[in-house]
């Protein structure tokens, strides 16, 4: 009698072990890259803080100067005229909120915010001379300032969306947003002192309430042009490690969001 069937060679030692409930096709997720120092990210956050700081200083200075007899109170304006002048900023401000987001998407937040700041500086510097000329000229300057300032927060959201991951976006936004309060405090503390210690005719008097926020804006323009780009991919100051980490993290967020939307 011949022997029984030949024994089957054992393959257990060569078969891959399943990683998850017997599914040998399951693969472990790649190990995330270590987070690098985010110098460029925080530089952008600081520059956005500075932008909000300067723009809020430029929009607040009128509220300080208009009620002082040594300031704009020297002009023959009643309460009605003063109220119209103070509110005219918001006539322009409300018109550029929605277009600001579209412009930032189409042309890039860097260019849009730069244009906003330049126009705001021009409007602010021109306000003292415009007020001396006529009430309507001063109103025109404030409307221009409002239009220019209205794009600020849409651009802020656009820039942070291109630069900062979900983990840090809220933190960077809140840090930048504190610039508004600091700008108001600067005008509230410095404006009355300038008005009381300067002569009515001297440009270092109440007029300087408009000039020094504009000077801060001019400094911001120089730093913004040198330091900031629309995205990590186009930045010349960012390190290779930080650029790769941000782009990889943002791509992962995009694909994960698309997958979650498709599964919903």
């Amino acid at each position: 009698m011949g022997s029984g069937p030949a024994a089957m060679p054992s393959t257990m030692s060569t078969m891959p072990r399943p990683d998850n409930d017997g599914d040998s096709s399951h693969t472990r997720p790649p190990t995330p890259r270590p987070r690098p120092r985010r110098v460029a990210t925080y530089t952008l956050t600081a520059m956005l803080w500075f932008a909000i700081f300067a723009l809020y200083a430029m929009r607040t200075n009128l509220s300080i100067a208009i009620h002082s007899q040594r300031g704009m109170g020297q002009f023959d304006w009643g309460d009605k005229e003063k109220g119209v002048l103070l509110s005219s900023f918001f006539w322009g401000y409300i018109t550029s909120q929605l277009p600001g987001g579209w412009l930032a998407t189409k042309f890039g937040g860097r260019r849009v915010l730069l244009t906003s700041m330049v126009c705001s500086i021009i409007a602010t510097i021109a306000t003292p001379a415009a007020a001396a000329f006529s009430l309507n000229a001063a109103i025109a300057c404030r409307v221009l300032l409002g239009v220019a300032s209205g794009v600020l927060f849409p651009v802020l959201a656009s820039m942070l969306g291109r630069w900062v991951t979900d983990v840090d976006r809220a933190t960077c936004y809140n840090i930048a947003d504190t610039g508004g309060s600091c700008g108001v405090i600067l005008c509230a503390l410095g404006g009355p002192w300038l008005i009381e210690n300067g002569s009515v005719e001297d440009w270092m008097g109440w007029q300087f309430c408009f000039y020094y926020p504009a000077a801060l804006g001019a400094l911001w323009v120089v730093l913004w042009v040198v330091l900031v780009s629309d995205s990590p991919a186009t930045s010349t100051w960012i390190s290779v490690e930080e650029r790769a980490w941000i782009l990889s993290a943002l791509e992962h967020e995009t694909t994960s969001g698309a997958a979650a939307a498709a599964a919903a």
Side-chain angles (χ1 to χ4, degrees):
M1 296 291 295
S3 61
M8 296 290 292
S10 174
T11 59
M12 294 299 294
S13 60
T14 61
M15 292 180 64
R17 291 189 176 184
D19 288 333
N20 185 24
D21 298 332
D23 182 10
S24 60
S25 63
H26 177 76
T27 58
R28 298 181 185 276
T31 303
R33 301 185 184 191
R35 180 178 292 188
R37 294 180 60 189
R38 288 156 297 160
V39 177
T41 300
Y42 289 128
T43 298
L44 172 68
T45 303
M47 290 304 302
L48 291 172
W49 179 95
F50 193 2
I52 299 175
F53 172 77
L55 287 172
Y56 266 73
M58 284 188 255
R59 68 188 281 183
T60 306
N61 49 21
L62 180 66
S63 302
I64 305 298
I66 199 170
H67 295 296
S68 173
Q69 289 302 316
R70 289 179 60 84
M72 299 180 78
Q74 63 183 291
F75 301 121
D76 189 20
W77 297 338
D79 290 340
K80 179 181 178 180
E81 287 78 11
K82 290 179 181 179
V84 170
L85 180 58
L86 287 169
S87 65
S88 59
F89 170 87
F90 297 97
W91 305 351
Y93 190 77
I94 198 173
T95 64
S96 55
Q97 296 281 304
L98 292 178
W102 178 82
L103 290 170
T105 302
K106 184 172 180 61
F107 299 106
R110 178 178 180 268
R111 187 181 302 173
V112 174
L113 192 54
L114 177 63
T115 304
S116 166
M117 185 66 74
V118 171
C119 292
S120 298
I121 292 170
I122 293 172
T124 301
I125 292 176
T127 298
F133 181 73
S134 72
L135 176 64
N136 288 335
I139 290 174
C141 288
R142 295 296 291 183
V143 171
L144 173 60
L145 178 63
V147 172
S149 300
V151 304
L152 172 61
F153 287 102
V155 170
L156 174 67
S158 175
M159 294 289 289
L160 291 180
R162 297 185 184 195
W163 268 92
V164 185
T165 62
D166 285 345
V167 176
D168 299 317
R169 195 169 297 143
T171 300
C172 292
Y173 186 98
N174 288 326
I175 291 173
D177 192 43
T178 61
S181 299
C182 295
V184 172
I185 292 171
L186 173 69
C187 283
L189 295 178
W193 184 88
L194 290 169
I195 293 171
E196 293 303 318
N197 290 276
S199 66
V200 174
E201 297 81 9
D202 189 359
W203 72 275
M204 285 292 288
W206 67 269
Q207 296 92 334
F208 200 64
C209 291
F210 296 87
Y211 297 151
Y212 78 84
L216 291 174
L219 174 61
W220 178 91
V221 166
V222 175
L223 295 176
W224 184 256
V225 170
V226 172
L227 297 177
V228 176
S229 299
D230 277 318
S231 72
T234 59
S235 174
T236 58
W237 288 91
I238 192 171
S239 67
V240 175
E241 294 80 9
E242 185 178 5
R243 176 188 287 113
W245 187 86
I246 293 174
L247 294 177
S248 175
L250 291 176
E251 181 181 4
H252 175 71
E253 291 173 4
T254 302
T255 55
S256 298

